[in-house]
Amino acid sequence: MMRTIKSGWMRLVLLLTMVLLTGTAVLAQDSPGVAQLFITESNVSSLPSVELHIYGRDAQGNALNLSQETLTILQNGNSVGPIEYQGTHTAGTFTVFLIDVPPGVVDELTLLQQAIEGFAAAGNMLEQVDSVAVYQVGATEAQQLLEPTGFYNSVRNLFATPLTPETGATALIDSATSLLEQLDSLKPNPDMVSSLVLASDGTDVVSTRFEEDDLVNRSLELGIPVHTIWLDNENISTPAVGQDFLAGVAAQTGGIAVQLDNTADLPLIWNRIASFRDQARIRYMVTALEAGNFPVTVSLADSPAISAETTVDIPNNLPSVVINLPSESRTLSLPALDEPVRLKFSTAVTWLDGIERTLTGAQLRVNGVSYDVPVEEIDDFQADITSLTYGNNSVEMVVMDEQGIQATSPILVLTVNEGRRDIPEALSTGSGLMGLVLRFLLVVFALIVVLAVLFWLWRNGRVKNLGSLIPRGPSHPRQPYVEQPEVNYAPTHTVAYLEVLSAVSQVSSPIPLSMAVVRIGRSPNQANIAFENDVTMSRLHASLMLEGNHYRLFDEQSTSGTWVNERQVPEYGIQLNEGDEIHLGAVHLRFRQG
């Protein structure tokens, strides 16, 4: 039925100045209240370092790349020690669709269902990592159609019964504002990033609890963007008013506004939501370690007004473990890594309250692989490590005390170069030098034995010409040295290839890998394989490097991260095997070899 318009002509004039009337996607415009930082979690299990999980958005609502930002952190009002970016933590996203379907939009219901199903599919939503819920605008508040779920099939099952239009009057602003206030309690995991997607014709005649400004202000207070999808209502004579209302809400809250008819614009919303799936792991050192509850403030160094606050709780009985290794001793060279490498480590464990306790377990972790350490030797121990790789290696110590409390040391980066064996004294067990000495003595002993036998044979007349037994060099003349041409170790034929399973860009598949280093990204100037139209990819997203007969995949500090078989690629890369599935943003590839 026809619904009258609550907003007056003055509001229409103001809104018309904010958006274009072309009907294409409207991105969020500058709004001083949109740029924000958020702290979702703090972790003190690695004292004297504290780890925070942080995400942020700029004035247009885009996700901030905190690996490229300089941060200022204050704990209890005091500057902290060194601040380090530790990669990302996959927290997931929580997206709530609020749909408003009066009779005049019945022709668009199929498209609306398809749009929501398209979001809840591979490439947009990660199953069991992200979650989605669906609500419908009601007469007084939003009505739940689908409770929060992390499964694609749940959304498909919802629309097995097609949507039907709402025949009564509905309160758009009341439903949207009240639903915003419920999102924190609805999301499955508290550290998820929430978004509201409002699909409506933009008109409202029965809202009484809230006004348009309340919807925008509540969105900014909660840090939840409102993305809007405009539905064309054939029963409304002035559709531009509703369209402008939706565009204005999106612009002011850091969201994106699109028309449902322009289905090519929907990925703008989906990609914006997915860009908040991973949060930055920021670690800082506590300069004066003590127990208590301490306020922590994080801000952008060049924009101090963009900040977030949290409280860090440090119990007084918490253990603290540190690997004692000087920075100048954190680089070593090894000719090969096919055998275990024995290294020496020294650690120190203390408790904040100064009371010495018994350790019940200890492990050294190198690149995620654990090595048991006898607790009685934890001060100074040796470990045979099999998980080292060339490049940077993460090393940490994990202990558990008699209280059942686990503590992890701050991550130490050990750099391994390929070359002549050279291990710093602080890491060396002495086995390398001792082994050389033993081998030298063994050779000397063997030589003495051989000479003694030959002398005995000569004295007893068994050998008449001892000199003839002495080995001589070749009788042919020495050939002049000829410099050999430089060998190109890059493969001369395709040893592997990539299958394109999902991508917006038109890239032929399969993609042969015929170089020792293959760079993948969005920019043709930086990447050998470019997905120019996939905005979820970084300009240089990842690199493939040939190591022997295998390719190793490295992430190039991309915004959305690089994933292999749903496992995030660490800083030291991951070796690819036949059939591995690779995700780079929304691009989905399969690695083939052989």
Side-chain angles (χ1 to χ4, degrees), residues 300-350:
L300 300 183
D302 57 355
S303 302
I306 303 175
S307 63
E309 296 181 354
T310 190
T311 299
V312 172
D313 179 18
I314 302 178
N316 66 349
N317 63 339
L318 202 63
S320 172
V321 56
V322 177
I323 300 176
N324 298 317
L325 186 64
S327 56
E328 63 271 15
S329 299
R330 299 179 184 181
T331 300
L332 61 150
S333 298
L334 295 169
L337 296 175
D338 49 357
E339 294 183 358
V341 180
R342 177 167 293 184
L343 298 177
K344 178 180 68 176
F345 293 94
S346 172
T347 62
V349 182
T350 57

Side-chain angles (χ1 to χ4, degrees), residues 87-88 542-543 552-556 561-576 581-584:
T88 59
S543 294
R552 178 173 289 272
L553 179 64
F554 294 88
D555 180 75
E556 299 292 350
T562 303
W563 303 77
V564 174
N565 299 330
E566 299 188 2
R567 173 190 171 195
Q568 187 166 15
V569 174
E571 293 181 1
Y572 50 86
I574 188 170
Q575 180 176 297
L576 294 178
E581 295 195 10
I582 305 168
H583 284 87
L584 307 99

Side-chain angles (χ1 to χ4, degrees), residues 36 73 181 193 350 384 407 477 492 505 507 591:
Q36 291 173 292
I73 300 180
E181 296 176 336
V193 179
T350 57
D384 293 323
T492 58
S505 302
V507 178
F591 177 77

Side-chain angles (χ1 to χ4, degrees), residues 140-274:
T140 57
E141 61 182 12
Q143 305 298 316
Q144 187 181 82
L145 300 181
L146 176 67
E147 64 181 4
T149 178
F151 295 94
Y152 304 149
N153 281 337
S154 298
V155 178
R156 298 189 187 103
N157 293 338
L158 169 66
F159 295 125
T161 302
L163 289 171
T164 57
E166 173 63 55
T167 57
T170 54
L172 176 63
I173 295 177
D174 283 354
S175 296
T177 308
S178 61
L179 186 56
L180 275 175
E181 296 176 336
Q182 301 176 48
L183 290 196
D184 271 350
S185 61
L186 289 173
K187 58 185 178 183
N189 297 317
D191 55 348
M192 283 180 161
V193 179
S194 299
S195 300
L196 179 64
V197 180
L198 177 59
S200 170
D201 61 13
T203 61
D204 184 9
V205 294
V206 299
S207 288
T208 57
R209 295 171 53 202
F210 301 102
E211 296 289 340
E212 176 187 339
D213 290 344
D214 296 325
L215 173 60
V216 171
N217 292 335
R218 207 66 191 103
S219 166
L220 295 175
E221 290 170 7
L222 297 170
I224 301 173
V226 180
H227 305 286
T228 59
I229 301 175
W230 182 68
L231 310 179
D232 187 10
N233 190 333
E234 63 183 13
N235 294 332
I236 295 179
S237 58
T238 55
V241 176
Q243 185 177 3
D244 293 344
F245 164 73
L246 295 176
V249 169
Q252 296 175 81
T253 63
I256 296 174
V258 301
Q259 286 188 22
L260 180 62
D261 291 343
N262 295 334
T263 55
D265 289 337
L266 290 173
L268 294 174
I269 297 179
W270 309 159
N271 293 337
R272 173 69 65 81
I273 292 172

Side-chain angles (χ1 to χ4, degrees), residues 55-128:
Y55 73 94
R57 55 180 182 167
D58 62 19
Q60 289 75 39
N62 300 300
L64 288 174
N65 182 0
L66 294 179
S67 68
Q68 305 298 319
E69 297 286 348
T70 301
L71 299 178
T72 299
I73 300 180
L74 301 178
Q75 178 167 307
N76 205 28
N78 301 315
S79 297
V80 300
I83 302 171
E84 296 180 350
Y85 174 77
Q86 297 288 319
T88 59
H89 161 69
T90 302
T93 61
F94 179 49
T95 305
V96 178
F97 285 87
L98 177 59
I99 59 178
D100 184 18
V101 286
V105 302
V106 65
D107 292 340
E108 299 205 277
L109 294 186
T110 300
L111 275 179
L112 179 58
Q113 292 178 181
Q114 292 173 349
I116 299 175
E117 288 178 337
F119 170 80
N124 295 320
M125 168 185 161
L126 286 184
E127 199 166 33
Q128 300 188 71

